[in-house]
Amino acid sequence: MAIDQAVLQCGERTLDLGRARIMGILNVTPDSFSDGGQNARIDEALARARAMVVEGADILDIGGESTRPGAEPVPLAEERRRVLPVIEALHAELDVPLSVDTMKPALMREAVAAGAGLLNDVNGFRAEGALETAVEAGREHGVALCVMHMQGEPQSMQRSPHYGDVVAEVGAFLEQRVADLQAAGVPRRQILLDPGFGFGKTLEHNVALFRGLPRLASGGLPLLVGVSRKSMIGQLLGARPVAERDPGSAVAAMLAAQAGARVLRVHNVSATRDALALYSELHDGQDNRGN
Ligand code: HH2
């Protein structure tokens, strides 16, 4: 599927989107839904990050605030304390681009100074000052932006999500945010889009959005898809607990890539790498061996 640009500039690093890439999730939180508490100490976070890169992660996404349904907001000082030392240490040690998963403009700025090359905002840069911060980071540091769709906010988003045509509405929201960012001076080539699976969506909405990925990809901007271990995987497999969702998550990542997604945000990197490699070898004939 043709996208507007093959290489995404992430600050001083780059991510080649000529084929689907793996974004390894590094949650430095005590309460994330699937891996909360596991990487809370810096040495644990660094070990996990190194392991993900060895397994095949092309980019790492570092987050210090859980956005699972019902999660409590984290104060800036605490999010800063969790995230910044990890970004600094990873930037010094690893060559892959680093993404920061935050809704807070102040932390976005500090994360970029610490070495982050992609701003991943589940709130789509809608917080006060977020758009301006994103524009400045893009202009001054060549940072990429991931704009995600969310209906409502994490504390309440799963109470009663509602849409007429979920694919059309999510697509229109993303298009509008791209227009806003472009009007503020961000080049299109620095933008990734994400329909936001599980963020103010029922199972039916998530399934419709997944099936609508080719439609969302047809706008030409690269899509990021994050379904790893989410409740939609558990529900579709018959109430599968979080700890048993990795095979399903890897299959879903592969299907998302097949539907045009270029960045797959996942917890289990090696399973995803294998699924993508087999897809390339057996389906579209691209040689991924050794990558
Ligand atoms: N999902 C989560 C967090 N950040 N960012 C993007 N762009 N897309 C997503 O789908 C997305 C995201 C939620 O998953 P996780 O980080 O595993 O859990 P938690 O929010 O509990 O930390």
Side-chain angles (χ1 to χ4, degrees):
M1 194 157 313
I3 50 171
D4 287 354
Q5 83 279 16
V7 174
L8 185 70
Q9 198 64 40
C10 300
E12 54 199 40
R13 300 177 182 179
T14 55
L15 189 63
D16 179 356
L17 299 179
R19 65 176 169 84
R21 295 291 168 181
I22 299 177
M23 171 184 264
I25 301 172
L26 188 64
N27 284 321
V28 282
T29 52
D31 60 340
S32 284
F33 79 95
S34 81
D35 55 359
Q38 286 173 18
N39 309 306
R41 289 201 348 240
I42 287 203
D43 56 335
E44 289 167 335
L46 297 184
R48 178 81 199 109
R50 282 183 209 117
M52 285 196 285
V53 171
V54 170
E55 287 170 24
D58 301 294
I59 176 168
L60 298 174
D61 187 37
I62 298 114
E65 176 177 47
S66 173
T67 47
R68 72 181 195 288
E72 284 299 317
V74 174
L76 172 63
E78 174 60 12
E79 199 178 334
R80 196 181 253 155
R81 191 191 64 75
R82 293 176 184 175
V83 162
L84 293 178
V86 173
I87 294 181
E88 260 166 32
L90 290 181
H91 183 67
E93 187 180 320
L94 300 173
D95 291 333
V96 296
L98 303 174
S99 157
V100 62
D101 186 349
T102 186
M103 300 186 254
K104 297 188 181 71
L107 189 64
M108 290 176 192
R109 276 193 295 277
E110 292 164 3
V112 170
L118 191 154
L119 299 177
N120 173 25
D121 183 356
V122 299
N123 196 31
F125 303 98
R126 288 179 295 168
E128 202 185 328
L131 188 113
E132 294 74 13
T133 300
V135 170
E136 198 184 304
R139 193 178 48 232
E140 291 182 9
H141 303 278
V143 163
L145 310 173
C146 178
V147 181
M148 200 193 82
H149 174 274
M150 165 165 65
Q151 187 178 88
E153 43 196 44
Q155 294 92 298
S156 56
M157 66 191 179
Q158 290 307 102
R159 271 185 216 146
S160 59
H162 54 277
Y163 300 86
D165 176 338
V166 66
V167 181
E169 286 172 43
V170 168
F173 169 87
L174 294 175
E175 244 173 61
Q176 185 56 52
R177 290 315 280 159
V178 171
D180 294 343
L181 284 166
Q182 280 192 277
V186 177
R188 268 175 79 80
R189 63 173 185 277
Q190 277 173 246
I191 304 174
L192 281 171
L193 298 180
D194 182 346
F197 288 96
F199 286 84
K201 283 127 189 149
T202 63
L203 176 61
E204 288 67 33
H205 297 143
N206 287 319
V207 169
L209 269 180
F210 202 97
R211 291 181 183 158
L213 284 174
R215 221 167 115 197
L216 294 170
S218 68
L221 288 180
L223 289 185
L224 184 151
V225 165
V227 292
S228 181
R229 297 184 183 167
K230 285 190 178 168
S231 65
M232 66 180 283
I233 304 282
Q235 288 169 305
L236 290 169
L237 296 175
R240 196 63 61 88
V242 173
E244 294 169 25
R245 293 179 190 167
D246 282 2
S249 300
V251 172
M254 189 201 73
L255 291 170
Q258 192 173 18
R262 287 305 161 116
V263 182
L264 304 155
R265 185 181 180 277
V266 303
H267 300 89
N268 188 327
V269 171
S270 58
T272 311
R273 177 205 59 203
D274 285 358
L276 292 181
L278 286 174
Y279 168 64
S280 299
E281 294 278 356
L282 299 176
H283 186 268
D284 67 11
Q286 273 182 36
D287 188 348
N288 265 347
R289 270 168 289 193
N291 287 340

